[in-house]
């Protein structure tokens, strides 16, 4: 017997297919509580996003992966109780305030004055923003 640990959220019919497959001797699975479900959905967002191919020559695969990603995002939205319209309204607000991604801008780093309000904000998130003293 060979055991593989998947340890990930799967679509509803995957468990059913495992249980019906004679080559699968046993499937250990569980239904997650609300917090664990949301945590796993967020992990799944990352997983699905990482699977999107970058090449223009992989349009079919990109479409499939984007559909998977959208399914996970929609499930997460529904679990939080938001309508599509609420999310779209928030998207419009954010785009009005901060713009979209049309210009493809990427900030490598910012240098701040020692008394900048941004220093405190960014220091509160060291796992997200690396700090160094610029000379």
């Amino acid at each position: 017997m060979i055991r593989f640990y998947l340890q990930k959220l799967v679509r509803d019919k995957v468990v059913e297919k495992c249980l019906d497959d004679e080559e699968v001797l046993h499937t250990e699975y569980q239904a997650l509580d609300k917090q664990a479900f949301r945590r796993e959905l967020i992990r799944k967002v990352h997983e699905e996003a990482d699977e999107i191919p970058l090449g223009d020559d992989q349009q079919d695969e990109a479409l499939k992966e984007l559909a998977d990603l959208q399914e996970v995002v929609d499930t997460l939205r529904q679990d939080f109780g938001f309508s599509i319209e609420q999310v779209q309204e928030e998207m419009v607000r954010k785009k009005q305030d901060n713009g979209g991604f049309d210009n493809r801008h990427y900030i490598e780093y910012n240098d701040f004055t020692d008394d900048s309000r941004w220093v405190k904000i960014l220091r509160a998130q060291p796992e997200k923003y690396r700090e160094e003293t610029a000379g």
Side-chain angles (χ1 to χ4, degrees):
M1 179 178 72
I2 302 168
R3 177 175 287 174
F4 284 96
Y5 289 86
L6 276 61
Q7 298 179 308
K8 67 179 192 173
L9 185 67
V10 295
R11 290 175 176 263
D12 296 337
K13 292 184 180 180
V14 171
V15 170
E16 185 180 312
K17 289 177 181 181
C18 289
L19 295 174
D20 289 344
D21 189 331
E22 61 187 40
E23 294 179 13
V24 178
L25 301 175
H26 178 73
T27 299
E28 189 69 29
Y29 67 98
Q30 62 179 307
L32 300 173
D33 65 27
K34 189 176 205 86
Q35 286 299 103
F37 182 56
R38 286 180 178 175
R39 184 176 54 250
E40 291 303 315
L41 281 169
I42 291 168
R43 275 185 55 203
K44 196 75 169 170
V45 166
H46 294 280
E47 176 189 328
E48 297 299 346
D50 286 342
E51 293 176 355
I52 299 169
L54 300 177
D56 287 339
D57 60 337
Q58 297 173 294
Q59 294 289 316
D60 290 343
E61 186 62 25
L63 179 60
K64 290 175 185 176
E65 296 304 336
L66 286 166
D68 286 344
L69 179 59
Q70 188 65 54
E71 177 76 25
V72 176
V73 170
D74 283 346
T75 302
L76 193 57
R77 174 191 52 75
Q78 290 168 347
D79 195 66
F80 273 100
F82 297 122
S83 68
I84 290 173
E85 293 78 20
Q86 286 175 297
V87 172
Q88 289 173 337
E89 288 168 10
E90 185 61 24
M91 287 170 58
V92 168
R93 272 192 292 277
K94 290 191 84 159
K95 192 164 188 171
Q96 287 172 343
D97 292 346
N98 298 315
F101 296 97
D102 300 327
N103 294 329
R104 303 180 182 181
H105 291 155
Y106 177 89
I107 295 178
E108 189 67 40
Y109 65 86
N110 285 20
D111 292 330
F112 297 100
T113 60
D114 291 340
D115 59 348
S116 170
R117 66 185 173 96
W118 291 104
V119 171
K120 183 177 181 180
I121 293 168
L122 298 172
R123 278 185 179 154
Q125 305 172 70
E127 70 287 344
K128 194 172 178 181
Y129 302 108
R130 180 173 58 94
E131 178 182 351
E132 67 179 44
T133 303

